[in-house]
Amino acid sequence: MNSEFAHTFYKCFIKDDRYKLILGGIRITIEVSLLAILLGLVIGFLIALCNLSKKKGLNAIGKVYTDIIRGTPSVTQLMIIYFVIFASIDWPKWIICSIAFGINSGAYVSEIIRAGILSVDKGQTEAGRSLGLNAKQTMWKIIVPQAVTNIFPAMCNEFITLVKETAIVGYVGLVDIQKAGDFIKSATYVAFMPLIGTAVIYFVMIKILTIFLGKLEERMRRSAQR
Amino acid sequence: MIQVEDLHKSFGDNEVLKGINETIHDGEVVVVIGPSGSGKSTFLRCLNLLETPNKGKVIVDGEQINAPGVDVNKVRQKMGMVFQHFNLFPHLTVMENITLAPTMLGKMTKEEALEKGKSLLTTVGLLEKADAYPSQLSGGQKQRIAIARSLAMEPEIMLFDEPTSALDPEMVGEVLDVMKSLAESGMTMVVVTHEMGFAREVGSRVLFMDDGEILEQAVPEELFGNPKEERTRQFLSKVL
């Protein structure tokens, strides 16, 4: 039994340098996730500003964006962006995938930011404005610093979801952890080992991310409470 | 000087101000009293355009501030406001609360603002709290800081929106004392309050508002001693 396990393990992860496939997959997952998180934050912030704006046109843009993204599966969005929008543009696959996930994440991030900004008491805005600060100064110096603390937990959730969502990049032929596991499964005719291996790798990555974000939040709360 | 002409304000179907005409002269301490829902706070908030009037004019030093194209931010820089719930910035220290606006708006350098902050904190008796955060202060202390924060912009007019209503009774006095010395220094003040003692002692004029209108106004002795309107008498008999 034990030696059979070792044998399968060898066959799946060591033989023919298959671990290199996995390592490459991990790298792709990390690259796509990081860039997508960044893009998601930028897009999310802009869409949140649209949604919070008093201008009807900007409101509409924000609403339509959020509606479309939330109303369609992310795998469909990824395939449309890859095979339709970027069909004739020769960018590296992982960047196109990051853009797709960034656009997707942006919709959710915008809602988180919007809720966070609305969670700051209206009196804060009034105090800022009554001192003579303009809307922008009030937003940046008074509202945003307070909203960040409120937003953080929900934002961590979004990051974690995003990392796991990237497991669909195989649909456009990018080899991430999931796709690497899949390749190994096809090559070895073994399902258990590569799939459980894939799950374990994702789990460990998410665990590390969670611990890191948790520490960051703790530090932020401490400095916010003082 | 603030002139208010035919000021109307509605929230949806609810007409809160039904045509206010009033002139507040420099150096006056005008105290606004009246039952809740009478429009006192809305009236005050229209003076610095935290609420936008639906109709009428608000004129500050000869300039109609609710006209299109007026830089509201500039106008607000000379009108300080103190809120019922203090609204201190919780993520900033007391000193940062005070120096934020003057430095950001280029009114003072950082050093000047710090000097100003120190002297204001001394005035309100809280110099030792300069590096504290608002969450570490009592209600009365918060409100004194909020007053100092407004004064840091060196306003010509100070608006007070029920500044003692959210305070524990034993803290009301310390805030009223600060306001009193501010009045004695000649500051133009408009104060919405339920503190009849303050109105009587410090007010140069008392306005009684009811149902969106200024029903009666007089110097304190007269309004409290010899109210003309039945509605005023009823109100005073309940609060005095």
Side-chain angles (χ1 to χ4, degrees):
Chain A
M1 183 69 196
N2 224 345
S3 78
E4 196 191 320
F5 182 88
H7 178 70
T8 322
F9 188 89
Y10 174 81
K11 191 164 112 186
C12 290
F13 297 129
I14 315 282
K15 200 171 161 233
D16 298 337
D17 282 350
R18 294 210 168 101
Y19 63 91
K20 283 190 179 159
L21 197 62
I22 299 267
L23 287 180
I26 292 177
R27 196 178 137 195
I28 286 291
T29 297
I30 292 175
E31 282 174 350
V32 171
S33 301
L34 285 183
L35 184 55
I37 285 174
L38 259 154
L39 289 173
L41 281 174
V42 173
I43 294 172
F45 190 76
L46 294 176
I47 296 296
L49 286 184
C50 287
N51 282 330
L52 290 166
S53 156
K54 284 191 186 115
K55 298 203 176 79
K56 289 255 155 56
L58 289 179
N59 275 182
I61 293 174
K63 196 168 175 335
V64 168
Y65 186 93
T66 320
D67 262 8
I68 291 176
I69 298 297
R70 289 205 294 197
T72 53
S74 39
V75 65
T76 315
Q77 293 162 16
L78 173 67
M79 291 175 79
I80 289 175
I81 287 171
Y82 187 83
F83 291 115
V84 181
I85 298 174
F86 278 85
S88 58
I89 301 172
D90 189 26
W91 284 10
K93 261 183 198 177
W94 74 273
I95 292 190
I96 300 176
C97 287
S98 301
I99 292 172
F101 286 109
I103 288 173
N104 177 277
S105 180
Y108 297 93
V109 167
S110 76
E111 284 300 290
I112 295 170
I113 291 178
R114 193 176 72 96
I117 285 176
L118 290 178
S119 75
V120 177
D121 183 52
K122 201 165 147 263
Q124 293 290 310
T125 308
E126 292 185 348
R129 297 306 303 275
S130 77
L131 286 166
L133 303 181
N134 64 31
K136 213 162 152 190
Q137 292 166 326
T138 307
M139 181 58 88
W140 283 107
K141 281 287 171 180
I142 295 164
I143 307 302
V144 169
Q146 296 182 58
V148 166
T149 331
N150 298 346
I151 285 171
F152 200 76
M155 207 58 102
C156 293
N157 239 334
E158 170 57 24
F159 295 162
I160 288 165
T161 310
L162 176 58
V163 173
K164 291 186 294 180
E165 284 265 285
T166 61
I168 59 173
V169 293
Y171 275 92
V172 298
L174 191 59
V175 184
D176 68 333
I177 302 169
Q178 179 67 42
K179 196 64 188 172
D182 202 38
F183 275 156
I184 293 169
K185 180 176 87 80
S186 312
T188 59
Y189 301 106
V190 178
F192 177 86
M193 192 67 81
L195 290 180
I196 296 297
T198 302
V200 169
I201 293 170
Y202 273 115
F203 183 82
V204 170
M205 273 175 55
I206 298 289
K207 197 76 198 164
I208 293 171
L209 180 64
T210 312
I211 292 171
F212 170 73
L213 291 175
K215 286 232 167 10
L216 206 63
E217 184 183 358
E218 204 179 302
R219 245 180 63 185
M220 222 161 67
R221 294 231 171 262
R222 246 193 325 231
S223 62
Q225 259 170 16
R226 281 176 298 207
Chain B
M1 186 168 84
I2 309 176
Q3 289 154 285
V4 176
E5 290 174 16
D6 194 30
L7 185 67
H8 288 259
K9 175 69 187 174
S10 305
F11 295 107
D13 291 338
N14 184 18
E15 192 175 22
V16 182
L17 297 180
K18 300 176 178 171
I20 305 266
N21 292 287
E22 187 54 53
T23 301
I24 293 152
H25 296 279
D26 290 341
E28 259 194 319
V29 178
V30 174
V31 181
V32 186
I33 62 170
S36 51
S38 59
K40 318 182 286 289
S41 286
T42 308
F43 169 57
L44 191 76
R45 290 162 59 87
C46 279
L47 295 182
N48 69 348
L49 301 188
L50 279 185
E51 304 291 353
T52 316
N54 297 110
K55 197 181 145 199
K57 292 180 183 174
V58 180
I59 301 162
V60 177
D61 295 338
E63 184 191 18
Q64 186 188 342
I65 62 169
N66 63 330
V70 173
D71 185 353
V72 183
N73 302 316
K74 271 271 176 301
V75 177
R76 286 181 180 142
Q77 289 176 25
K78 52 182 184 183
M79 297 170 90
M81 186 163 205
V82 175
F83 300 86
Q84 180 177 358
H85 294 288
F86 330 127
N87 299 348
L88 292 180
F89 307 132
H91 59 299
L92 302 178
T93 65
V94 163
M95 187 53 100
E96 287 164 348
N97 263 275
I98 294 173
T99 56
L100 176 78
T103 49
M104 238 188 136
L105 296 169
K107 194 176 168 68
M108 299 172 195
T109 65
K110 215 162 186 117
E111 292 72 34
E112 288 168 346
L114 274 174
E115 275 314 302
K116 181 84 188 167
K118 276 184 198 159
S119 94
L120 283 169
L121 283 175
T122 312
T123 313
V124 300
L126 288 170
L127 186 58
E128 78 280 6
K129 297 289 185 191
D131 297 321
Y133 282 85
S135 60
Q136 300 164 322
L137 305 175
S138 72
Q141 291 171 333
K142 281 183 195 167
Q143 197 61 300
R144 281 144 72 197
I145 300 296
I147 294 172
R149 177 177 69 178
S150 290
L151 290 175
M153 284 302 292
E154 299 177 334
E156 295 160 21
I157 301 157
M158 285 287 285
L159 310 174
F160 293 84
D161 190 3
E162 302 201 27
T164 57
S165 297
L167 296 176
D168 288 341
E170 76 264 29
M171 291 170 184
V172 171
E174 63 191 70
V175 172
L176 292 181
D177 284 345
V178 170
M179 290 168 62
K180 200 172 147 189
S181 55
L182 191 59
E184 282 159 4
S185 77
M187 176 67 78
T188 310
M189 292 163 64
V190 185
V191 185
V192 171
T193 188
H194 294 292
E195 293 296 327
M196 297 304 150
F198 176 84
R200 198 189 288 249
E201 196 183 342
V202 185
S204 37
R205 204 145 53 88
V206 181
L207 311 183
F208 175 72
M209 278 188 73
D210 187 41
D211 198 25
E213 287 167 324
I214 297 174
L215 205 62
E216 182 171 358
Q217 61 162 297
V219 293
E221 306 85 72
E222 199 175 318
L223 192 119
F224 288 111
N226 184 21
K228 291 193 178 53
E229 299 283 337
E230 176 56 29
R231 189 70 193 85
T232 316
R233 271 197 289 276
Q234 274 175 10
F235 175 77
L236 289 176
S237 72
K238 277 182 208 147
V239 295
L240 288 180

